[in-house]
Amino acid sequence: MKSFFKQFSDSAKELKSIKCLAVTGLFVAISMIIEGFAIDIGFAKLNFAFLAIAVIGMLFGPSVAFLAGLACDIVGYIAHPDGGFLPAYVLVAGVQGVIYGICLYRKFGRTDAKILCIRATAARLLDVIIINLIVNTALNMHYGFIPAESFGVAIASRTLKNVIELAADLPLLFLLLPLCLTAYKRTSTGRASVQPKAEI
């Protein structure tokens, strides 16, 4: 339990680094660009903006990813306003960052492909189940976007949508995360922020 909370304090210390702030800002901007190129396939909308938050969580941990999630949602609304601005959804975006930070921060090195796949899959599944299916559906019902009697139907339709999206999401995570980790470590001097320590 101590190590669980320690990763939050270690992550918060990353904010003292100019490199952390610069890279985080870069990926927040990348998230906004990706958001603008969401693919609508009729019954589902493929949006890969979460990839930027996953990378931030992997490199800098849950505290930084939480702030980045908040920033992505706020800046995303400003860049692509759609409906009213609701703070609850901003908080949910921050929690999404925490999920990726907890699952991916300092958990694998360059060659730990198996651990990478396991943890990336776990992070994406937790994001989908907790955020997309449960929390967002409940918020949509709370704010009247869907009627209460349609909650079960909404869960079922969102489940089908997210299962389809996972088929595209996971391969991208498996490809992008090791590339970004390797690139970041190569540009780091002295101690690397991400340690090649494998934990399952």
Side-chain angles (χ1 to χ4, degrees), residues 66-131:
F66 174 77
L67 296 176
L70 301 182
C72 281
D73 197 76
I74 294 171
V75 177
Y77 177 79
I78 295 172
H80 310 285
D82 184 16
F85 179 77
L86 300 171
Y89 289 99
V90 179
L91 182 60
V92 168
V95 174
Q96 181 185 39
V98 171
I99 290 173
Y100 289 104
I102 290 173
C103 292
L104 302 175
Y105 184 49
R106 294 182 174 176
K107 295 299 192 297
F108 47 80
R110 180 178 176 182
T111 60
D112 298 322
K114 181 179 178 180
I115 296 173
L116 166 63
C117 291
I118 292 172
R119 286 196 165 272
T121 301
R124 188 57 185 154
L125 286 176
L126 286 172
D127 182 12
V128 166
I129 294 170
I130 296 173
I131 303 299

Side-chain angles (χ1 to χ4, degrees), residues 48-69:
F48 303 111
F50 78 93
L51 291 169
I53 295 298
V55 172
I56 294 170
M58 174 186 69
L59 295 179
F60 305 118
S63 298
V64 178
F66 174 77
L67 296 176

Side-chain angles (χ1 to χ4, degrees), residues 137 140-142 144-154:
T137 304
N140 288 343
M141 185 179 69
H142 173 74
F145 298 137
I146 58 173
E149 59 271 17
S150 300
F151 184 78
V153 176

Side-chain angles (χ1 to χ4, degrees), residues 128-174:
V128 166
I129 294 170
I130 296 173
I131 303 299
N132 292 357
L133 296 182
I134 299 175
V135 177
N136 280 342
T137 304
L139 283 175
N140 288 343
M141 185 179 69
H142 173 74
Y143 286 113
F145 298 137
I146 58 173
E149 59 271 17
S150 300
F151 184 78
V153 176
I155 287 286
S157 63
R158 290 172 71 90
T159 298
L160 176 60
K161 169 183 176 292
N162 281 278
V163 167
I164 294 170
E165 290 178 353
L166 278 173
D169 294 344
L170 292 179
L172 287 174
L173 275 175
F174 299 158

